[in-house]
Amino acid sequence: MLNRQGRPSSAGEAGTTTHPTFTGNKALAQIEPLLFEIGRYGTTGVDLDEPDDFQPRLGGLERKEAIGLPGLSEPETMRHYVRLSQQNYGIDTGLFPLGSCTMKHNARLNERMARLPGFADVHPLQPVSTVQGALELMSELGRYLVTLTNMTAVALSPKAGAHGELCGMMAIKAAIEAKGEGATRNVVLVPDSAHGTNPATAALIGFKVKPVPAREDGSVHVEDVKKLLGPDVAAIMLTNPNTCGLFEPQVAEIAKAIHDAGAYFYCDGANFNAIVGKAKPGDLGVDAMHINLHKTFSTPHGGGGPGSGPVVLSARLAPFAPVPFVRAGKDGGFELVEQESDAAEKPFGRMTAFHGQMGMYVRALSYMLSHGADGMKQASEDAVLNANYIRAGLADLLSLPFGNKPCMHEVLFDDAWLKDTGVTTLDVAKAMIDEGYHPMTMYFPLVVHGAMLIEPTESESKASLDLFIATLRDLAMAAKNGDKERFTGAPYHAPRRRLDETRAARNPVLKWTPPEPVAEAAE
Amino acid sequence: MRYLPLSDSDRGEMLARIGVNHVDELFADVPKNLLLKEPVDLPRRKGELEVERILSRMSAKNMSASSVPFFVGAGAYKHHVPATVDHLIQRSEFLTSYTPYQPEIAQGTLQYLFEFQTQVAALTGMDVANASMYDGSTGTGEAVLMAHRVTKRRKAVLSGGLHPHYTDVVKTLSDMASDETIILAPDVSGTEDILSQIDDTTSCVVVQSPDVFGHVRDLKPIADKAHKHGALLIAVFTEVVSLGLLKSPGSQGADIVVGEGQSIGNALNFGGPYVGLFATQSKYIRQMPGRLCGETVDADGNRGFVLTLSTREQHIRRDKATSNICTNSGLCSLAFTIHMTLLGEKGLTRLARINHANAVKLADQLGTVKGVEVLNETFFNEFTVKLAKPAAEIVERLAGKGVLAGVPVSRLMPGAGLDNLLLVASTEVNTDDDRAALCAALKEVL
């Protein structure tokens, strides 16, 4: 039984607590109730004075009922959210090897820059003459992205990676329609190893999705693509480096085959961070690629967002880029093209209100200025070096589905090494939590069994990697030696033990509701 | 490079351990002729001081909202955000965490998402809310797609009071998906006849209140007509503070409520990042887009939170997913939740009253300026004025005098013949001096 703070109703019920405490707290491990259980309806932590008397002009549509929003004073608010933060793991806490998600160091300089009043405190619809510096920043960011990718144009406005995919695929659809092939080219090829956002994006705008199998070596083979090509194919969506952590060796040939068939090459740029400064997607035949500023250029993930997903476009697609966009104006200034009718090109439309994720642009440009061309190249090399160092340190104990060969910025293991141990990939992940690590990406990509995708990034020192490798080696030995409980019961030391996700889905409780009044015991 | 911990000797040792001589051997799959030998043609690395100088110079070229009397709105609003909010969202454990896929070490994120969902559901008067969309405009696009899934129809009717950017986002998405959109003409007076557009083929009606011209709209008759024909009402707002004073969309019969949450907790940021609020009725939860946080228990029976109903989402359902959305506006929703917690119901209601009172005061004062006519009978904190001269020109001249007066309607709806209309917003940040400055400046240029 739980009380309304979600704690066991008697201290003894918590299985692992040998010395129960009266509060449920354990020194720095503080249990925090929900805001709705500690807040009060008459409390506010903001001092505002009631306005002088005035005649409302709301047309009789004033709210009569209470809303149901409790408040807290400022010190209580501070404590509530500080305590919640302490139940979270972040990249500042420790190594965060979440493959394909790229959890690298978030420099606080970037936070400071994003808060400069000329960026944070300007309105998207102010006169263009009053935001020339903001437009300059967008233009400069665009120049960096185009230079790093050798592409023709960039659409900055997409709000995150999946939104960028949508932008790129819309540009492709617009280009196909401009050629009069809209009715016939309606198939998009997506490898099995792709992120779920790829097929979801293609389907969202009416494309039929056809899977491309991955070969046993984890790569997409040009012959497999050619077999699927025809006059009905609009595009391929290929992730490169792919989600198995490998650079697609035939990417140039695939691009050529796609182009020969009159289709377009969309590249999922989620893993661009492996090759920044080492290779340019434009040189590989890419027509459109989104760039996750929150991965490659280190804008913080913030617990799941915000992201930012600018899309670089080839010359063939550049005319179809959405509004708004920045262009050079007279006298060295910048103009903002906000309406399709004001563009000499053929924009496919608008993806979002306003101009996109300005706050993320500032952070990303701050990252790029700090690293410079030399630092970005070094960062890619270190990211790849670190992943391979982990591969080398674990290859004899864990299993590599595609053999012990170089990987890019992330290394993919499968669960063959767990055979007959009674331990699953999920169990290993939870045991890593007990060791103080955020787990790797699990069960993705779908093309290998029990996938464990490890991406250390360039932010880890050699000492940090050595400890991580030693920890995983210890876990691997424990699993192989039959210490099943260390895994199946894990985590033992996290703020919560393993959570029942089935129960959450079966009976969804998606908001707090006031508890039923408890009847007085009739004694 | 200050962000890279490896030394050259580390690199050498590591390459040896891997068994290669040069790091480029690890890039062997990159076609030889395409592997770059030299850094790309961009400047070299820079220290913090130098980066600060460069970006501060760019920042200084912009006129910031706090530096002048400021009346710009139309979908993004200047509000005061308590210092506590920005401090808390910069806690490392919030700022540098990922999507809470490992719930045992992400209870901080998950619990605030649960609080966020509860707050949004309460504000909108709906059963459930998701864990945020990118912003109000993309949320509106998602809401239309959701209505199509629920009704199995594919025609949306868009009010002429809907923010034109929102209309454009819906239209772009609908055109691409070959869905139909009926877009009503700009509704300057808030009196359009939308009811006659609703029939048995309508999937949804999209109505904003307060609308883009500021009018407070009665949603009830629209909801009734929509429901009579098996269509859904999507109620949109761009100023969430208005919900502190106005009847909730849910209480007026909305089926999906979607809007911009920027006003609470989030800076103007030149348009982003913002936070899209999205709420609906329980019966539609499996058709919702986006992440949802749900309550459960752990192995010891303690309450905890997890992401749930993910079988709707792209990482499970791929091309059958309800949306392609993955990343959301996590940190912006945290800012929203913390600010809303500080306000509480009492503070929010008062904030809304101050906003409305300031706008009423401003409307009355502008009404006395020659060449200015206030068009609205109803409004919350933003209204439309008709000027004797083109608004874009006036706004530019006022900017030259250090007053940011509002948004010319022609900027949002060029070619609509509404060139003399100006949208003017007033929030709690405006003082008597600001209002006097605006009126005085207008008198000089009109």
Side-chain angles (χ1 to χ4, degrees):
Chain A
M1 280 300 291
L2 301 180
N3 64 18
R4 55 195 291 269
Q5 268 82 47
R7 298 169 185 163
S9 51
S10 67
E13 281 186 35
T16 55
T17 307
T18 42
H19 298 285
T21 57
F22 175 74
T23 57
N25 300 328
K26 287 171 223 153
L28 290 177
Q30 308 266 354
I31 296 175
E32 186 62 10
L34 281 162
L35 153 67
F36 307 95
E37 293 157 346
I38 53 177
R40 299 169 301 275
Y41 290 104
T43 296
T44 178
V46 179
D47 289 330
L48 295 164
D49 291 328
E50 270 298 325
D52 298 334
D53 239 8
F54 67 101
Q55 278 301 315
R57 295 182 202 170
L58 300 169
L61 290 164
E62 288 94 333
R63 184 189 275 276
K64 304 280 191 302
E65 307 78 26
I67 306 171
L69 293 171
L72 292 174
S73 68
E74 188 174 299
E76 290 169 298
T77 301
M78 186 64 84
R79 194 169 286 167
H80 179 64
Y81 289 103
V82 166
R83 285 181 173 191
L84 288 190
S85 78
Q86 289 171 329
Q87 298 180 29
N88 256 15
Y89 193 100
I91 181 66
D92 290 353
T93 314
L95 198 156
F96 206 129
L98 205 53
S100 202
C101 300
T102 311
M103 297 298 285
K104 61 168 83 174
H105 174 58
N106 297 139
R108 289 312 192 281
L109 168 66
N110 308 347
E111 293 303 307
R112 184 190 281 176
M113 294 300 96
R115 284 166 175 80
L116 288 170
F119 301 136
D121 193 30
V122 286
H123 191 287
L125 296 174
Q126 279 180 220
V128 168
S129 60
T130 66
V131 290
Q132 285 293 305
L135 299 183
E136 181 184 347
L137 184 130
M138 290 168 70
S139 171
E140 189 67 353
L141 175 73
R143 185 174 75 85
Y144 267 71
L145 296 179
V146 162
T147 305
L148 288 169
T149 55
N150 191 26
M151 300 288 273
T152 302
V154 59
L156 289 179
S157 70
K159 294 264 172 175
H163 207 222
E165 289 174 32
L166 189 60
C167 175
M169 294 309 289
M170 283 179 168
I172 287 171
K173 190 157 187 171
I176 287 171
E177 275 165 13
K179 285 198 286 189
E181 297 180 335
T184 47
R185 286 198 187 268
N186 54 9
V187 169
V188 170
L189 307 179
V190 182
D192 295 330
S193 55
H195 295 104
T197 48
N198 290 180
T201 297
L204 196 62
I205 54 174
F207 285 119
K208 271 182 242 154
V209 175
K210 250 192 211 173
V212 186
R215 289 281 173 109
E216 274 177 19
D217 62 1
S219 69
V220 174
H221 203 279
V222 66
E223 292 307 322
D224 296 337
V225 174
K226 278 186 181 166
K227 273 183 221 153
L228 296 166
L229 284 176
D232 59 337
V233 174
I236 190 170
M237 297 181 84
L238 192 66
T239 310
N240 189 41
N242 69 24
T243 61
C244 301
L246 305 171
F247 190 92
E248 289 287 356
Q250 298 193 326
V251 63
E253 290 91 331
I254 292 169
K256 183 168 185 310
I258 289 285
H259 290 155
D260 288 349
Y264 293 88
F265 177 7
Y266 185 88
C267 181
D268 183 323
N271 295 332
F272 183 44
N273 59 303
I275 58 167
V276 174
K278 295 295 289 181
K280 295 175 176 176
D283 295 344
L284 305 168
V286 169
D287 289 304
M289 182 180 90
H290 75 268
I291 299 169
N292 302 83
L293 297 185
H294 50 295
K295 295 180 181 177
T296 301
F297 299 113
S298 172
T299 73
H301 285 74
S308 182
V311 177
V312 285
L313 299 165
S314 66
R316 305 201 299 157
L317 293 180
F320 303 98
V323 290
F325 55 83
V326 181
R327 71 179 169 205
K330 297 177 285 274
D331 314 324
F334 296 93
E335 292 177 1
L336 192 56
V337 179
E338 292 179 285
Q339 306 293 338
E340 292 168 54
S341 51
D342 293 341
E345 303 86 354
K346 290 170 274 185
F348 67 72
R350 172 180 280 278
M351 298 213 63
T352 176
F354 314 130
H355 324 305
Q357 308 283 61
M358 181 66 175
M360 303 294 118
Y361 304 159
V362 182
R363 290 170 173 90
L365 186 60
S366 175
Y367 169 98
M368 289 194 261
L369 289 170
S370 296
H371 279 80
D374 49 335
M376 285 192 276
K377 177 171 181 283
Q378 186 69 59
S380 299
E381 290 175 358
D382 285 2
V384 170
L385 181 62
N386 279 356
N388 279 285
Y389 188 65
I390 289 175
R391 175 179 59 82
L394 296 173
D396 59 325
L397 276 180
L398 274 54
S399 43
L400 289 154
F402 310 121
N404 193 8
K405 61 178 185 180
C407 58
M408 297 301 285
H409 62 303
E410 54 195 355
V411 53
L412 176 64
F413 297 98
D414 64 16
D415 64 357
W417 65 281
L418 287 169
K419 192 166 180 294
D420 302 328
T421 60
V423 174
T424 65
T425 292
L426 178 72
D427 297 329
V428 174
K430 300 306 181 190
M432 283 170 69
I433 292 176
D434 281 336
E435 297 293 338
Y437 289 111
H438 193 285
M440 68 277 147
T441 291
M442 355 169 263
Y443 302 107
F444 180 83
L446 308 175
V447 291
V448 304
H449 198 269
M452 306 176 196
L453 186 62
I454 296 179
E455 177 177 5
T457 83
E458 70 275 16
S459 304
E460 297 305 322
S461 68
K462 181 169 174 298
S464 162
L465 295 174
D466 286 336
L467 181 59
F468 179 72
I469 290 166
T471 306
L472 279 178
R473 292 190 69 85
D474 183 67
L475 284 171
M477 292 309 295
K480 291 180 191 215
N481 291 336
D483 188 3
K484 201 173 139 185
E485 270 189 21
R486 181 166 168 193
F487 297 88
T488 54
Y492 293 98
H493 305 294
R496 284 291 179 277
R497 301 287 309 284
R498 209 175 290 193
L499 286 148
D500 186 346
E501 303 198 20
T502 311
R503 171 178 162 144
R506 195 166 290 158
N507 174 31
V509 179
L510 306 178
K511 67 174 183 183
W512 179 84
T513 43
E516 301 283 326
V518 182
E520 291 290 320
E523 288 183 66
Chain B
M1 207 281 135
R2 62 187 179 277
Y3 302 147
L4 301 176
L6 297 185
S7 67
D8 279 340
S9 72
D10 290 336
R11 292 181 184 114
E13 277 177 50
M14 290 165 73
L15 286 170
R17 173 75 183 83
I18 294 164
V20 297
N21 294 314
H22 191 275
V23 71
D24 279 353
E25 290 176 44
L26 301 173
F27 290 84
D29 283 335
V30 180
K32 279 261 167 329
N33 57 326
L34 302 181
L35 190 67
L36 304 174
K37 299 286 174 292
E38 297 298 321
V40 294
D41 185 21
L42 291 169
R44 259 179 61 80
R45 72 187 73 171
K46 291 180 172 62
E48 273 208 25
L49 180 60
E50 207 177 337
V51 174
E52 279 193 14
R53 274 191 195 125
I54 292 169
L55 293 175
S56 298
R57 260 201 303 270
M58 282 188 207
S59 166
K61 291 178 192 168
N62 305 318
M63 190 183 280
S64 70
S66 300
S67 66
V68 290
F70 185 85
F71 302 92
V72 190
Y77 299 90
K78 167 76 184 162
H79 289 284
H80 179 258
V81 178
T84 302
V85 175
D86 200 42
H87 172 82
L88 283 169
I89 68 166
Q90 288 195 77
R91 292 276 306 183
S92 283
E93 304 90 328
F94 286 137
L95 184 74
T96 76
S97 62
Y98 196 71
T99 306
Y101 291 137
Q102 296 288 342
E104 295 86 0
I105 47 171
Q107 285 299 300
T109 297
L110 286 158
Q111 183 166 329
Y112 84 63
L113 289 178
F114 192 80
E115 295 181 352
F116 172 79
Q117 290 174 184
T118 306
Q119 288 174 332
V120 174
L123 268 169
T124 53
M126 303 302 282
D127 298 331
V128 288
N130 73 13
S132 80
M133 310 301 289
Y134 306 133
D135 65 11
S137 67
T138 62
T140 303
E142 293 274 10
V144 168
L145 291 177
M146 176 177 152
H148 292 351
R149 289 193 294 275
V150 168
T151 62
K152 302 196 166 59
R153 302 173 186 174
R154 311 207 63 98
K155 184 170 86 180
V157 174
L158 275 53
S159 158
L162 184 62
H163 192 294
H165 286 178
Y166 288 43
T167 304
D168 288 349
V169 170
V170 172
K171 187 173 178 335
T172 300
L173 201 51
S174 297
D175 287 354
M176 286 283 172
S178 305
D179 297 332
E180 200 181 339
T181 45
I182 308 276
I183 298 170
L184 274 62
D187 183 24
V188 177
S189 59
T191 54
E192 67 185 356
D193 173 20
I194 200 167
L195 297 184
S196 67
Q197 299 291 330
I198 304 168
D199 61 28
D200 289 345
T201 67
T202 309
S203 157
C204 56
V205 197
V206 185
V207 185
Q208 180 179 325
S209 179
D211 68 17
V212 71
F213 296 101
H215 309 288
V216 180
R217 300 284 294 266
D218 187 358
L219 302 175
K220 187 78 175 47
I222 306 170
D224 290 346
K225 179 85 192 272
H227 295 158
K228 216 174 104 193
H229 290 278
L232 304 189
L233 171 63
I234 298 174
V236 178
F237 56 86
T238 61
E239 173 50 291
V240 62
V241 176
S242 68
L243 296 179
L245 213 49
L246 292 171
K247 278 185 188 168
S248 71
S251 70
Q252 300 181 70
D255 300 284
I256 304 172
V257 182
V258 59
E260 179 53 66
Q262 170 266 329
S263 286
I264 300 293
N266 289 278
L268 287 169
N269 285 328
F270 199 49
Y274 288 172
V275 50
L277 312 184
F278 193 108
T280 189
Q281 296 165 9
S282 292
K283 59 183 170 184
Y284 299 136
I285 52 174
R286 281 170 207 278
Q287 294 299 336
M288 277 179 103
R291 292 187 187 130
L292 289 167
C293 169
E295 185 182 320
T296 188
V297 294
D298 75 357
D300 287 343
N302 288 317
R303 180 175 68 188
F305 302 95
V306 292
L307 292 180
T308 193
L309 297 178
S310 55
T311 50
R312 299 163 302 111
E313 292 187 78
Q314 46 74 27
H315 61 283
I316 308 286
R317 282 299 287 283
R318 302 178 77 83
D319 55 326
K320 305 282 191 301
T322 58
S323 166
N324 73 333
I325 195 169
C326 180
T327 289
N328 64 359
S329 294
L331 202 69
C332 304
S333 66
L334 174 62
F336 178 98
T337 289
I338 295 169
H339 192 183
M340 193 59 86
T341 298
L342 282 165
L343 286 166
E345 181 144 354
K346 188 176 171 188
L348 177 70
T349 309
R350 194 172 286 168
L351 179 67
R353 284 172 58 78
I354 294 169
N355 272 253
H356 188 43
N358 277 356
V360 166
K361 239 188 256 182
L362 180 64
D364 287 347
Q365 290 174 20
L366 284 174
T368 67
V369 178
K370 194 164 161 277
V372 179
E373 182 192 349
V374 177
L375 299 187
N376 296 54
E377 283 178 20
T378 66
F379 57 85
F380 171 63
N381 68 356
E382 185 168 23
F383 51 84
T384 308
V385 297
K386 189 173 180 183
L387 304 177
K389 291 179 183 168
E393 177 196 318
I394 297 298
V395 164
E396 198 65 49
R397 289 181 63 188
L398 294 193
K401 293 173 180 295
V403 176
L404 290 175
V407 179
V409 171
S410 62
R411 178 155 179 192
L412 296 172
M413 305 171 207
L418 302 173
D419 292 1
N420 287 23
L421 300 190
L422 178 69
L423 306 177
V424 186
S426 181
T427 72
E428 76 282 0
V429 304
N430 293 127
T431 61
D432 286 337
D433 288 348
D434 290 347
R435 283 182 284 275
L438 175 62
C439 291
L442 275 170
K443 278 176 193 160
E444 286 174 36
V445 297
L446 280 172

